[in-house]
Amino acid sequence: MAVRAVNTCSLFRPPSPPLSSAVRFAALHFSSRHLNFRRRRRSPAFLPQYLFSSDYVGGGCQTQRRSVQSLFESVIEELQAMRKRRKRVSAASNIGLLNEELLEDRLLNRSLQKGLLLEFKKDSDRILLAVAQRPDGKKNWMVSDQNGVPSSIKPQQVTYIVPGVDNFDQADIADFVQKAQDNVDPSLLEFAWVELLEKKKSVTVEELAEIIFGSAEPLESYSAHLLLSKDEVYFTVLETKGYRSIYGPRPSGQVEELMRRKLAKEAAEKELQEFIELLASAKSMPSHDKPPKSSWINKEKTWSRIESLEAYAIDDYRNDEQRKTAGLILKEMGLAKTASSALNLLVDIGYFPVHVNLELLKLGIPTDHSEEVISAAQSLLLDSCDPDEINRKNLTDLKVYAIDVDEADELDDALSATKLQDGRIKVWIHVADPTRYVQPGTIVDREAMRRGTSVFLPTATYSMFPENLAMGGMSLRQGDICNAITVSVVLHNDGSIAECSVCNSVIKPTYMLTYESASELLHLNLEEEGELRILSEAANLRLNWRRQQGAVETTTLETRIKVSNPEDPEPAINLYVENQADPAMRLVTEMMILCGEAMATFGSRNEIPLPYRGQPQSDINISEFVHLPEGPVRSFALVKVMRAAEIDFRKPARHGVLGIPGYVQFTSPIRRYLDLLAHYQVKAFLRGEPPPFSAGKLEGIAALVNDKFRAVRKLCNSSLRYWILEYLRRQPKEKRYRALVLKFFKDRLAALLLIEVGFQASALVSVGTQIGDEIIVKVEEAHPRDDILFLKEVVEG
């Protein structure tokens, strides 16, 4: 390696320095652990020579001689005094720093040429040393970096040209870099900063090398450059020309502030590394040994970082700081900055279960009631006062059937029926009476409005009301005396409504039946269950009448899933497929529609503002669909062309799809807030009071509640789909499924309904397959988290 001579004299060497100056320079040089005498090839001339003159050591008057020990003690004393003095130094102005010498003399720039050793910016994260090889085009240069990799770089990528080098050997770069890094000691900058600040001097890289290393040779100059390029505290760039810069010491007040920030940053980085180590440790543990979720929440800073990862996983961060924090954590963990990486990390450390419901987190659906609401609900249960007690009609002599899914906890409707002497059927629809406990504007009512609806997921139920109310006092319970509001309807022989009335009532439910058990009882046709047969007869009358009024049949297969232990990596999944054409389901559906029509009639007759639902049917021509098989295939086609339901709060609007003149949802006041609003209005009328809400007020509340309802419906659909895919993923690969062809998208790509699963998917089908055909498919791949299902038709023979 060829180098040229560099002046090695100290930049600030005075002709006859006082002792304090000597001590300052000695402190600069003695302080560096990298520059002790034994490690240096050079003589102690690295230190200013006057420190070793006869005036100070080993010559002149004996009384003035100093030992090395006494010199060291003086250095320490002076250093301590210097630190105290530095705190008192006011901010030094940079004015004049650049005027001490001509800029042109100090910023002599060197152009790129072959053999120069230079530093360049490879990319935003990497700075490398390289040797210039040859020009590449008009401006670029080919260089060979410390890794032996050739690159074509632009002049603006060059950050420093090492002085004193004419023909550097690329093979020596790695050793040069290592030696330079060994020299780098940030504490050297502090001493240089003190000296330069007091003298109000600026400095180039080479001049700084002279001060702190006693030499401006290539290695020392590059070491000084590394110190300055990484410095964020003591020096600032005053002037730059080409590849050279002049640096000035920052004012002491600014340095103190920057040092404070630096220390805070270093402390934060240390905390982050400790957190990264914590994550790595938890990630490596077996599932049963991972720390509980609560352990991540106990410490505030740990919890804030976990929150950032959680926000990143669901793509819903509150601020940009959360996004940056999560991105930094993922980078430190060696992971891609993606939502799925954050999700997988939280699963790997045991914070999230494997089957965490991300949609539940994204939508912010509340899962728990506050202690205040629960306490208020308990107080309502303890209050024995019933405002409608004297007006309740005793219907405990009726046989009452409550029919619902087997896992239902909130039981809010039940049925009774009899035949009148003239042969007509009378039906009673008994609906739970939550207004026995809850009044508009109370804390429990406001919480129910905020939620809008109960949430029924495969993994859990989140009630609109606290459980002690929803599943306790409000629900209709078998064998108990229960408060209800009863809608009684007498049917004409054609199934239309002849009479209807509404009253407060007391009932005693006789049977709590599942759909399966109710269907079995209907099939057995037991004489002692004659009331159930009458209900079934009423349902058939109603269905035929509605069809004559233009009702659109939309019965299909409906899937229910119950996951009993969702926190486990492999929870048990119970899947049920219900045919809505099943006799018991048909019975309940018809009675609920009958109740809705009766309430619309009752509300209209008494001019009660209610949420009257209507659904236009003008764009549906049933004759266009008669060629399709009845059931799921035809229903699928009809649903696709139906218009959205509309709500009027003043008067009923025809519900063309149901084939009835008006409809009010009334039968689920424990589960749906709009049903509860209808109860508030009707109950006030029964008491002889004005309704609590005007039509305008109802409309405003309904707008808010419907937003909640749509979010919950989206959550329920996505959750059901996830668990169906998880169910399919676990099935044997050789398992076959029957599928109905519902529609063709393009060419042979068809929409299918998996009959045994009640799930819609798509697949390529054979040439000649028609809508309504049944085919056999198998599951090629199922990825619940990515919402991916690949089906393949099985062609036999």
Side-chain angles (χ1 to χ4, degrees):
M1 177 178 71
V3 299
R4 57 181 170 79
V6 178
N7 181 16
T8 59
C9 65
S10 175
L11 181 65
F12 302 129
R13 184 182 303 162
S16 301
L19 180 61
S20 61
S21 296
V23 173
R24 288 193 194 100
F25 275 98
L28 287 173
H29 293 278
F30 278 125
S31 67
S32 173
R33 62 178 179 273
H34 299 295
L35 301 176
N36 59 59
F37 293 126
R38 277 182 285 183
R39 287 187 56 201
R40 286 293 177 186
R41 299 191 305 271
R42 294 173 59 102
S43 70
F46 256 69
L47 295 179
Q49 295 300 313
Y50 57 79
L51 289 178
F52 302 95
S53 68
S54 60
D55 292 335
Y56 298 119
V57 227
C61 178
Q62 293 297 317
T63 58
Q64 293 182 353
R65 292 180 179 176
R66 295 177 182 270
S67 66
V68 173
Q69 179 65 34
S70 64
L71 175 61
F72 180 76
E73 290 174 353
S74 297
V75 167
I76 297 302
E77 290 174 3
E78 184 68 16
L79 178 60
Q80 291 173 344
M82 177 181 68
R83 289 184 181 275
K84 292 179 181 178
R85 197 162 56 247
R86 187 184 68 198
K87 294 181 179 179
R88 298 194 299 268
V89 175
S90 61
S93 170
N94 286 333
I95 298 175
L97 286 177
L98 295 176
N99 295 327
E100 62 207 50
E101 295 182 27
L102 291 174
L103 285 179
E104 293 298 325
D105 293 339
R106 301 180 71 198
L107 290 177
L108 272 175
N109 198 26
R110 190 172 187 189
S111 59
L112 287 174
Q113 60 188 45
K114 182 179 179 180
L116 289 184
L117 181 62
L118 56 87
E119 182 188 79
F120 75 98
K121 203 168 191 178
K122 181 76 172 178
D123 51 46
S124 59
D125 296 324
R126 288 185 297 169
I127 293 180
L128 301 174
L129 267 184
V131 176
Q133 301 294 339
R134 57 180 173 80
D136 183 29
K138 292 184 178 180
K139 294 184 178 180
N140 290 8
W141 269 81
M142 289 299 299
V143 300
S144 182
D145 67 30
Q146 62 201 64
N147 302 314
V149 178
S151 301
S152 176
I153 65 171
K154 299 176 181 178
Q156 53 265 39
Q157 287 179 257
V158 177
T159 52
Y160 185 66
I161 295 179
V162 179
V165 177
D166 291 324
N167 189 20
F168 200 89
D169 188 346
Q170 186 273 333
D172 295 333
I173 297 180
D175 183 59
F176 183 89
V177 169
Q178 186 60 55
K179 288 179 179 178
Q181 289 175 344
D182 289 343
N183 276 349
V184 172
D185 182 354
S187 63
L188 296 173
L189 281 179
E190 181 181 1
F191 295 113
W193 170 75
V194 171
E195 185 70 20
L196 292 165
L197 181 64
E198 288 186 355
K199 292 180 177 293
K200 296 184 179 180
K201 292 283 187 177
S202 61
V203 68
T204 63
V205 170
E206 292 77 20
E207 290 166 351
L208 181 69
E210 282 279 2
I211 293 172
I212 61 179
F213 297 121
S215 168
E217 290 187 359
L219 181 62
E220 284 73 22
S221 292
Y222 186 61
S223 299
H225 164 73
L226 290 178
L227 282 168
L228 286 169
S229 63
K230 296 176 181 177
D231 173 48
E232 298 176 350
V233 177
Y234 297 106
F235 290 89
T236 185
V237 175
L238 299 178
E239 185 75 19
T240 297
K241 184 176 181 181
Y243 314 121
R244 293 173 59 81
S245 298
I246 291 180
Y247 297 83
R250 297 180 190 271
S252 57
Q254 190 179 106
V255 167
E256 288 179 5
E257 174 60 21
L258 290 172
M259 183 59 73
R260 183 191 66 77
R261 294 181 189 177
K262 181 181 178 183
L263 293 174
K265 180 181 177 182
E266 289 173 352
E269 288 173 350
K270 182 181 178 182
E271 283 184 353
L272 176 62
Q273 287 307 311
E274 290 173 351
F275 178 72
I276 297 300
E277 291 170 8
L278 192 64
L279 292 178
S281 174
K283 187 177 178 181
S284 65
M285 292 178 181
S287 297
H288 56 275
D289 289 335
K290 293 186 187 295
K293 184 173 182 177
S294 58
S295 67
W296 299 101
I297 301 174
N298 293 337
K299 293 183 179 180
E300 183 178 347
K301 289 187 177 179
T302 299
W303 171 230
S304 68
R305 292 189 174 103
I306 290 291
E307 265 193 319
S308 296
L309 283 172
E310 184 175 327
Y312 206 89
I314 64 176
D315 196 23
D316 185 31
Y317 16 82
R318 292 194 301 269
N319 49 55
D320 199 50
E321 187 62 31
Q322 276 195 331
R323 181 184 61 81
K324 289 180 180 177
T325 299
L328 182 59
I329 293 169
L330 292 173
K331 180 181 177 182
E332 291 294 320
M333 290 294 293
L335 301 172
K337 294 181 182 180
T338 62
S340 60
S341 292
L343 168 64
N344 292 334
L345 177 58
L346 291 171
V347 170
D348 289 342
I349 67 173
Y351 177 79
F352 275 164
V354 173
H355 299 287
V356 60
N357 193 327
L358 290 182
E359 200 68 28
L360 181 65
L361 298 174
K362 287 180 182 180
L363 294 173
I365 304 294
T367 57
D368 297 310
H369 288 274
S370 68
E371 289 296 328
E372 184 182 15
V373 172
I374 293 173
S375 177
Q378 189 60 36
S379 297
L380 292 174
L381 286 171
L382 296 175
D383 184 1
S384 59
C385 176
D386 176 10
D388 301 303
E389 184 175 7
I390 60 172
N391 295 320
R392 290 195 184 277
K393 190 172 183 179
N394 190 336
L395 300 177
T396 55
D397 58 326
L398 293 175
K399 183 178 282 189
V400 177
Y401 297 89
I403 306 171
D404 211 325
V405 294
D406 57 357
E407 67 268 19
D409 296 313
E410 304 169 349
L411 299 171
D412 48 15
D413 55 71
L415 305 168
S416 300
T418 190
K419 277 204 173 180
L420 302 177
Q421 290 183 348
D422 59 7
R424 293 185 301 173
I425 296 175
K426 183 174 183 177
V427 173
W428 291 267
I429 300 103
H430 311 288
V431 183
D433 186 6
T435 64
R436 153 71 174 80
Y437 299 99
V438 182
Q439 296 301 315
T442 60
I443 182 173
V444 176
D445 169 74
R446 292 197 305 273
E447 177 65 11
M449 183 193 301
R450 185 174 76 89
R451 291 169 178 258
T453 179
S454 293
V455 182
F456 301 97
L457 303 179
T459 52
T461 295
Y462 306 113
S463 299
M464 185 173 76
F465 288 110
E467 288 187 9
N468 52 355
L469 270 180
M471 302 171 192
M474 289 180 176
S475 284
L476 304 178
R477 301 172 302 281
Q478 181 174 331
D480 289 354
I481 301 297
C482 301
N483 293 326
I485 180 166
T486 296
V487 180
S488 59
V489 181
V490 176
L491 297 177
H492 285 301
N493 291 332
D494 65 353
S496 61
I497 295 177
E499 304 171 16
C500 67
S501 63
V502 181
C503 69
N504 295 303
S505 63
V506 177
I507 63 170
K508 187 177 182 181
T510 313
Y511 294 119
M512 312 301 290
L513 302 174
T514 64
Y515 288 114
E516 292 82 358
S517 59
S519 291
E520 186 176 350
L521 281 176
L522 287 169
H523 179 72
L524 292 173
N525 197 23
L526 300 175
E527 189 166 342
E528 57 267 31
E529 301 302 336
E531 293 86 347
L532 189 60
R533 292 201 314 274
I534 296 172
L535 282 169
S536 181
E537 184 181 341
N540 289 330
L541 282 175
R542 286 289 299 169
L543 176 60
N544 291 331
W545 179 80
R546 288 195 306 106
R547 282 174 174 169
Q548 293 171 9
Q549 306 305 309
V552 178
E553 284 282 352
T554 58
T555 56
T556 185
L557 302 181
E558 189 170 291
T559 308
R560 288 190 297 109
I561 282 185
K562 188 69 176 176
V563 181
S564 55
N565 49 346
E567 297 293 312
D568 291 352
E570 292 285 324
I573 302 175
N574 297 307
L575 183 144
Y576 312 89
V577 179
E578 297 169 340
N579 188 340
Q580 292 179 325
D582 173 84
M585 293 200 76
R586 177 78 77 182
L587 185 157
V588 172
T589 298
E590 288 300 329
M591 293 303 101
M592 298 305 103
I593 294 172
L594 174 61
C595 181
E597 182 186 348
M599 289 310 306
T601 301
F602 182 82
S604 175
R605 181 190 305 156
N606 296 291
E607 298 182 344
I608 306 171
L610 291 171
Y612 297 100
R613 286 183 175 270
Q615 191 166 17
Q617 188 192 355
S618 57
D619 55 349
I620 299 178
N621 185 352
I622 303 298
S623 64
E624 295 178 2
F625 300 90
V626 294
H627 66 286
L628 298 174
E630 284 192 57
V633 175
R634 187 182 294 179
S635 295
F636 177 84
L638 287 168
V639 168
K640 291 297 181 182
V641 298
M642 284 183 181
R643 292 166 62 182
E646 300 170 352
I647 303 180
D648 190 304
F649 298 91
R650 293 167 178 79
K651 63 182 185 303
R654 176 172 171 75
H655 202 300
V657 173
L658 295 180
I660 54 179
Y663 181 65
V664 173
Q665 285 186 329
F666 195 76
T667 58
S668 296
I670 304 177
R671 309 180 187 192
R672 293 189 303 241
Y673 193 78
L674 280 187
D675 293 43
L676 180 64
L677 280 179
H679 275 242
Y680 285 148
Q681 300 290 89
V682 170
K683 290 290 297 245
F685 175 82
L686 295 177
R687 295 184 191 124
E689 301 170 357
F693 302 107
S694 66
K697 185 65 173 177
L698 282 178
E699 186 172 0
I701 297 172
L704 297 174
V705 171
N706 281 330
D707 284 344
K708 299 288 185 182
F709 189 81
R710 281 189 288 270
V712 169
R713 184 169 56 189
K714 178 182 178 183
L715 169 65
C716 293
N717 290 340
S718 66
S719 300
L720 180 63
R721 182 177 177 84
Y722 176 92
W723 285 105
I724 291 175
L725 291 178
E726 176 64 13
Y727 173 85
L728 292 172
R729 183 188 70 82
R730 297 192 198 175
Q731 302 309 302
K733 286 292 183 182
E734 64 275 9
K735 186 169 181 178
R736 304 294 188 256
Y737 302 87
R738 295 159 54 217
L740 280 175
V741 178
L742 301 175
K743 177 185 177 182
F744 284 98
F745 295 114
K746 184 180 180 182
D747 298 329
R748 294 185 300 115
L749 182 63
L752 306 176
L753 175 65
L754 302 185
I755 297 171
E756 294 94 339
V757 187
F759 184 68
Q760 291 181 19
S762 61
L764 292 172
V765 299
S766 303
V767 174
T769 305
Q770 302 294 317
I771 291 176
D773 287 353
E774 184 177 306
I775 63 173
I776 303 297
V777 297
K778 66 176 181 178
V779 175
E780 291 279 281
E781 290 184 56
H783 304 288
R785 185 63 67 197
D786 300 318
D787 194 24
I788 292 174
L789 177 67
F790 292 131
L791 298 178
K792 184 177 181 180
E793 182 183 11
V794 177
V795 181
E796 299 182 0

